[in-house]
Amino acid sequence: EDQVTQSPEALRLQEGESSSLNCSYTVSGLRGLFWYRQDPGKGPEFLFTLYSAGEEKEKERLKATLTKKESFLHITAPKPEDSATYLCAVAGTASKLTFGTGTRLQVTL
Amino acid sequence: DGGITQSPKYLFRKEGQNVTLSCEQNLNHDAMYWYRQDPGQGLRLIYYSQIVNDFQKGDIAEGYSVSREKKESFPLTVTSAQKNPTAFYLCASSTRTGGNTEAFFGQGTRLTVV
């Protein structure tokens, strides 16, 4: 059974204080690892897809990386508008997404 | 604008009643999904459909039913058999299933049983 564990559950940063979110996974035949951002009361917003170990993708202050066992979402010099819950999901040979419980990020002034 | 529309945003239901949640997409996606989200838990898959007139059970299908009569539409019925229906329901679509394609989500329907 595919499993995804995200840490920490919650993270509080000051504006400009860089950090990383972790997504550890076990999956039978990784077909893709996905990062989403979710604001309160809204649907998840797609950020990145990673397919193989060593792959990296960037978007503004976010950078996602992938190894054979985990993925990191690096946040560089965050701003208050980056506050949200970040979700990680994997897709394996079962052809469905398995989600982690997310990391709640709060960025303060 | 292309996207996924869920309605209504908030829904209240009395115990013992069935209720149907709407999901429409104009992205020309073949695959559609229904997830349930509860506090402190990850999104859990209820049903998914890869093509019109075909759908499969996900991890928590008991007490739910779906139909896929049109490519654009994938309504979810929460039946009275669902023991704990109060939750946030999310519909998603992707170009295909198979895992190597991202899913895009609607804005969700919050269902409360009163």
Side-chain angles (χ1 to χ4, degrees):
Chain A
E1 184 178 330
D2 300 344
Q3 288 191 324
V4 176
T5 302
Q6 291 188 247
S7 61
E9 286 188 15
L11 181 63
R12 187 182 174 107
L13 299 173
Q14 287 196 320
E15 184 174 15
E17 180 186 2
S18 301
S19 188
S20 296
L21 313 182
N22 178 263
C23 171
S24 297
Y25 65 90
T26 56
V27 64
S28 174
L30 180 69
R31 294 193 172 189
L33 184 141
F34 306 86
W35 281 99
Y36 289 85
R37 169 191 170 129
Q38 186 175 26
D39 292 303
K42 302 285 182 68
E45 174 189 346
F46 170 74
L47 293 173
F48 302 110
T49 307
L50 301 167
Y51 294 107
S52 58
E55 189 174 0
E56 299 182 351
K57 289 195 176 171
E58 287 188 67
K59 179 180 179 180
E60 296 180 357
R61 295 177 292 281
L62 301 177
K63 178 180 176 181
T65 62
L66 181 65
T67 72
K68 288 186 178 179
K69 294 184 178 180
E70 56 193 350
S71 176
F72 292 94
L73 185 65
H74 306 278
I75 303 176
T76 302
K79 298 182 178 181
E81 53 262 43
D82 295 322
S83 298
T85 295
Y86 291 86
L87 301 173
C88 173
V90 295
T93 54
S95 298
K96 66 182 182 76
L97 290 178
T98 299
F99 281 83
T101 54
T103 293
R104 291 191 316 277
L105 174 67
Q106 183 179 11
V107 182
T108 58
L109 292 170
Chain B
D1 281 340
I4 302 172
T5 301
Q6 290 187 242
S7 62
K9 187 171 181 179
Y10 299 97
L11 189 55
F12 296 88
R13 188 196 91 176
K14 291 184 179 179
E15 282 192 28
Q17 289 182 335
N18 293 354
V19 64
T20 297
L21 282 59
S22 171
C23 178
E24 302 277 334
Q25 56 98 358
N26 60 4
L27 300 169
N28 199 33
H29 285 170
D30 289 316
M32 296 187 74
Y33 313 81
W34 275 104
Y35 289 89
R36 170 181 172 140
Q37 188 173 35
D38 296 282
Q41 297 196 41
L43 277 68
R44 292 182 289 167
L45 182 64
I46 304 172
Y47 269 97
Y48 65 102
S49 168
Q50 301 179 67
I51 57 172
V52 174
N53 293 322
D54 184 56
F55 48 83
Q56 287 78 40
K57 292 182 179 180
D59 300 318
I60 55 166
E62 185 175 350
Y64 300 97
S65 66
V66 294
S67 63
R68 186 89 186 274
E69 297 177 0
K70 299 187 299 182
K71 186 176 184 177
E72 303 79 21
S73 179
F74 192 41
L76 173 74
T77 297
V78 184
T79 75
S80 57
Q82 169 50 234
K83 294 182 177 168
N84 186 19
T86 294
F88 189 48
Y89 290 88
L90 289 160
C91 178
S93 71
S94 63
T95 53
R96 59 189 180 279
T97 59
N100 55 347
T101 179
E102 57 270 16
F104 295 92
F105 285 82
Q107 290 303 295
T109 292
R110 186 167 299 280
L111 173 63
T112 303
V113 175
V114 296

